[in-house]
Amino acid sequence: MSLLSKVKFELIKKLYPYKLKKTAASYKGRVYVGSPSFITSNTHLGNNVCFNGMKIFGNGKVVIGDNFHSGGGCQIITSFHNYEGDAIPYDDTYIDKDVIIGNNVWLGNNVIILGGVQIGEGAIIQAGSVVCKSIPDCAIAGGHPAVPFKYRDKEHYEKMKEGNKFH
C-alpha cells in the first residue's frame, strides 16, 4: 500500500465517523467507517455501527440498530417521486417512508434498501439484493426483491448474544 493510500485510509477512518456523528439525529456510540459514507440528519445510529461505503438518501427516518455492518456500495433510499401527482411521469412532490434496521444486521455489498421496510434483528441480506419488503428476525434474504431463503440457527444466535460476541 502506498503512503498516499495509507494516509487516505487513515483520514477516512478518522474524518468520516466524526462527520457522520455530527450529521446524525442521534448515535449511541462507536461508528466505524472503512470507506466514504453519507447519511441524512434523519438517521439514528446504534452502537458499533460499521459502514463500508453506505449512502443514505431522502427525508424519511432511518433507524439503524447496534452491531450493524454493511459491505461496500450499499444504499438506503427513503424518498420517492410522486407519480400520482399533478404531472407525468411524476410531479415535484415526494413520498417519504421510514426504514428500521434491527440490531446485529449484516448487509453484503451493493444492497439497496427502499423506504417503508423493516429489517429484523440478526438478519443477513445477501450481496446485490434489493430490499423492498420487510425481512423477519434472523432471516437470510437475497434477490430482487429480497426474500428469506434460510434462517440463522436461533439457539446459536442467542448464545452469541448472551456471551457478548459482537464483531
Side-chain angles (χ1 to χ4, degrees):
M1 184 182 276
S2 72
L3 180 60
L4 183 59
S5 295
K6 287 179 185 178
V7 169
K8 183 178 177 183
F9 182 70
E10 287 303 315
L11 272 173
I12 288 169
K13 281 179 30 181
K14 288 182 171 58
L15 177 64
Y16 277 93
Y18 170 79
K19 188 176 175 182
L20 295 185
K21 287 178 178 180
K22 196 169 174 157
T23 303
S26 67
Y27 66 91
K28 289 185 184 175
R30 180 181 177 270
V31 175
Y32 171 85
V33 181
S35 194
S37 298
F38 306 93
I39 65 172
T40 68
S41 60
N42 277 341
T43 304
H44 300 263
L45 303 173
N47 183 37
N48 194 30
V49 171
C50 176
F51 291 142
N52 286 303
M54 171 64 76
K55 293 179 177 49
I56 299 176
F57 304 99
N59 298 315
K61 181 178 178 180
V62 176
V63 178
I64 297 175
D66 297 342
N67 308 308
F68 170 86
H69 286 251
S70 74
C74 293
Q75 296 180 50
I76 299 174
I77 304 167
T78 64
S79 292
F80 307 93
H81 291 288
N82 183 5
Y83 61 86
E84 293 181 335
D86 296 333
I88 296 174
Y90 53 83
D91 66 15
D92 59 355
T93 62
Y94 290 91
I95 299 165
D96 302 321
K97 296 182 178 182
D98 299 340
V99 170
I100 310 294
I101 299 174
N103 293 336
N104 313 314
V105 170
W106 173 24
L107 306 180
N109 287 351
N110 301 310
V111 169
I112 298 173
I113 300 171
L114 301 180
V117 303
Q118 292 187 22
I119 299 178
E121 177 181 338
I124 300 170
I125 309 299
Q126 187 178 43
S129 297
V130 178
V131 181
C132 56
K133 295 180 181 178
S134 292
I135 304 294
D137 291 352
C138 292
I140 302 172
H144 302 252
V147 293
F149 59 85
K150 190 175 178 181
Y151 286 83
R152 285 183 183 254
D153 177 332
K154 196 85 162 174
E155 188 177 308
H156 177 74
Y157 176 79
E158 292 299 330
K159 186 177 177 183
M160 293 298 103
K161 265 179 50 177
E162 288 170 17
N164 289 320
K165 303 283 186 175
F166 302 113
H167 179 56

